[in-house]
C-alpha cells in the first residue's frame, strides 16, 4: 500500500462518518434493545450470544456467529483487506478474496450497512478462548499438555487483532456491547469492570475504541442522578471517565455530557456533529 497524504478536510470528513464505541452494562439492563434506537436499514447486528429474542420484532439484518473462526470471517468481510497482514493470515488478501467468492450475498448485504452492532464482546472473548485452547500454541511443546498461558496469549492477540480490524472498517460505526460486572472485595468495596475472558484484551479495549460507555439504572436526585443498578427506574449512559459512580467511561469526542439518554442514534449524531466556532 502506497503512502499518501490525508488533508485536514479529509480527516475531518472521515471522523464525522464513523466512530467506535464499547457499551457495557449489567445483565438485564437492556443492552441488546439498544438496536431499536438505530436505523434498521443501515444497521447490521453480529449476534454472538443467540440473544435476539428480546428484539425479535426489530426489522434489521443480523448474522448469527457461533465460532471464533466465523467471527474472524465476518470481521474480514466488514473491514476488508489489512494491507499489513502477512499472506495466509487472517485479514490478508487471499482470506478476503476467498470469503468474497464464498459469500457473495453477504458481501452485497454488508456493503449497504454503515453501523455494525456486535452483541456481545463478552461472548466474543469466550468463543476466542474456546478456539485458542484447540490451537498448537496452547499445548506445551515439552509435555504436550494444555498450556493455559499460551491459550491466553493467543486469545489476547487474535481478539485485539479483530477489534482493531473492525476499528479501521472504512466509513462504518462499530458498536461493541458487553456485560459490566460488579466486583465486591473483602472490604465490601464495589468496583465495576467489563466482563471479558483474559485481562489483556479488557485492558487494551479502551485504547482501541473512541468511546467507552456504561449503561445502568438511575434514580433522579434533584438535578443529578443517583446510581441504583438494582432498582433504579431510569436507564442512562455514563460517558465520561471522571464520573461519581465509579463506572467505566471515556469520551474522545469531547461532546458528550456526563450522562446521556440511552438512544444510540442521538448519541452518534452528537458525537459526529460539526464543532461550533
Amino acid at each position: 500500500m502506497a503512502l499518501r497524504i490525508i488533508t485536514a478536510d479529509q480527516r475531518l470528513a472521515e471522523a464525522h462518518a464513523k466512530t467506535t464505541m464499547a457499551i457495557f452494562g449489567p445483565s438485564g439492563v437492556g443492552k441488546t434493545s439498544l438496536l431499536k434506537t438505530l436505523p434498521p436499514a443501515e444497521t447490521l447486528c453480529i449476534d454472538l450470544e443467540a440473544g435476539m429474542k428480546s428484539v425479535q420484532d426489530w426489522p434489521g439484518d443480523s448474522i448469527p456467529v457461533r465460532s471464533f473462526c466465523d467471527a474472524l470471517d465476518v470481521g474480514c468481510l466488514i473491514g476488508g483487506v489489512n494491507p499489513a497482514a502477512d499472506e495466509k493470515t487472517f485479514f490478508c488478501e487471499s482470506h478476503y478474496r476467498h470469503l468474497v467468492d464464498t459469500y457473495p450475498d453477504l458481501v452485497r448485504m454488508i456493503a449497504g450497512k454503515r453501523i455494525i452492532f456486535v452483541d456481545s464482546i463478552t461472548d466474543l472473548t469466550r468463543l476466542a478462548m474456546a478456539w485458542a485452547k484447540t490451537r498448537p500454541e496452547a499445548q506445551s511443546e515439552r509435555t504436550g499438555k494444555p498450556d493455559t498461558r499460551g491459550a491466553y496469549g493467543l486469545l489476547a492477540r487474535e481478539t485485539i487483532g479483530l477489534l482493531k480490524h473492525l476499528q479501521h472498517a472504512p466509513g462504518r460505526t462499530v458498536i461493541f456491547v458487553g456485560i459490566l460486572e460488579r466486583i465486591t472485595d473483602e472490604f465490601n468495596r464495589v468496583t465495576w469492570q467489563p466482563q471479558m475472558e483474559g485481562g489483556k484484551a479488557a485492558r487494551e479495549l479502551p485504547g482501541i475504541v473512541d468511546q467507552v460507555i456504561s449503561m445502568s439504572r438511575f434514580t433522579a436526585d434533584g438535578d443529578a442522578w443517583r446510581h441504583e443498578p438494582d432498582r433504579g427506574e431510569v436507564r442512562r449512559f455514563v460517558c465520561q471517565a471522571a464520573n461519581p459512580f465509579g463506572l467505566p467511561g471515556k469520551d474522545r469526542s469531547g461532546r458528550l455530557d456526563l450522562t446521556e439518554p440511552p438512544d444510540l442514534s442521538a448519541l452518534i449524531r452528537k458525537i459526529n456533529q460539526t464543532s461550533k466556532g
Side-chain angles (χ1 to χ4, degrees):
M1 181 179 179
L3 296 175
R4 63 193 181 99
I5 295 174
I6 304 295
T7 67
D9 288 342
Q10 290 172 327
R11 190 167 58 249
L12 187 62
E14 182 177 340
H16 288 166
K18 60 174 290 183
T19 190
T20 53
M21 65 178 73
I23 302 175
F24 294 98
S27 296
V29 76
K31 298 181 292 297
T32 302
S33 67
L34 292 171
L35 272 172
K36 295 184 176 182
T37 69
L38 293 168
E42 300 175 356
T43 302
L44 173 64
C45 176
I46 309 302
D47 175 23
L48 291 122
E49 58 177 17
M52 299 293 288
K53 186 174 182 179
S54 62
V55 290
Q56 57 188 348
D57 57 340
W58 180 67
D61 294 318
S62 64
I63 300 177
V65 173
R66 299 295 174 263
S67 74
F68 189 62
C69 288
D70 286 347
L72 292 168
D73 286 347
V74 172
C76 187
L77 285 172
I78 292 170
V81 178
N82 177 0
D86 295 332
E87 193 61 22
K88 296 184 179 180
T89 62
F90 299 122
F91 316 131
C92 69
E93 177 77 24
S94 61
H95 182 201
Y96 179 72
R97 291 301 166 196
H98 168 73
L99 295 173
V100 167
D101 293 340
T102 305
Y103 304 108
D105 292 341
L106 273 182
V107 173
R108 287 190 290 270
M109 187 267 286
I110 290 172
K113 308 298 183 181
R114 67 177 182 88
I115 300 173
I116 308 299
F117 187 90
V118 181
D119 185 20
S120 69
I121 193 170
T122 302
D123 284 272
L124 175 64
T125 58
R126 289 170 181 163
L127 292 179
M129 189 60 184
W131 170 82
K133 288 179 177 179
T134 68
R135 306 297 296 170
E137 296 94 323
Q139 308 295 321
S140 170
E141 293 184 359
R142 185 172 61 85
T143 66
K145 294 182 179 181
D147 178 5
T148 303
R149 180 182 296 181
Y152 274 110
L154 185 60
L155 157 74
R157 184 169 68 249
E158 298 303 339
T159 300
I160 291 168
L162 174 56
L163 298 180
K164 287 185 175 180
H165 191 68
L166 289 171
Q167 174 202 18
H168 289 288
R172 289 193 170 94
T173 286
V174 182
I175 302 166
F176 304 99
V177 299
I179 294 174
L180 187 63
E181 185 175 14
R182 175 164 39 193
I183 306 296
T184 304
D185 67 14
E186 63 270 23
F187 300 106
N188 210 32
R189 294 175 298 196
V190 173
T191 58
W192 297 87
Q193 64 184 34
Q195 187 182 97
M196 297 171 61
E197 292 283 347
K200 183 175 174 61
R203 288 193 301 271
E204 293 205 16
L205 178 64
I208 295 172
V209 297
D210 299 315
Q211 316 291 140
V212 176
I213 295 168
S214 292
M215 179 181 179
S216 193
R217 295 184 179 90
F218 294 82
T219 298
D221 186 8
D223 295 332
W225 295 97
R226 184 169 64 253
H227 186 210
E228 295 186 335
D230 298 319
R231 55 195 180 105
E233 298 178 353
V234 180
R235 298 186 308 163
R236 299 284 293 181
F237 286 153
V238 176
C239 308
Q240 297 179 8
N243 67 78
F245 317 114
L247 296 171
K250 167 190 168 184
D251 175 25
R252 188 172 285 171
S253 75
R255 299 190 175 106
L256 301 181
D257 292 334
L258 175 64
T259 74
E260 296 278 357
D263 183 328
L264 285 177
S265 288
L267 197 77
I268 292 169
R269 285 194 299 270
K270 193 169 185 179
I271 290 169
N272 292 337
Q273 69 186 356
T274 303
S275 300
K276 295 179 181 180

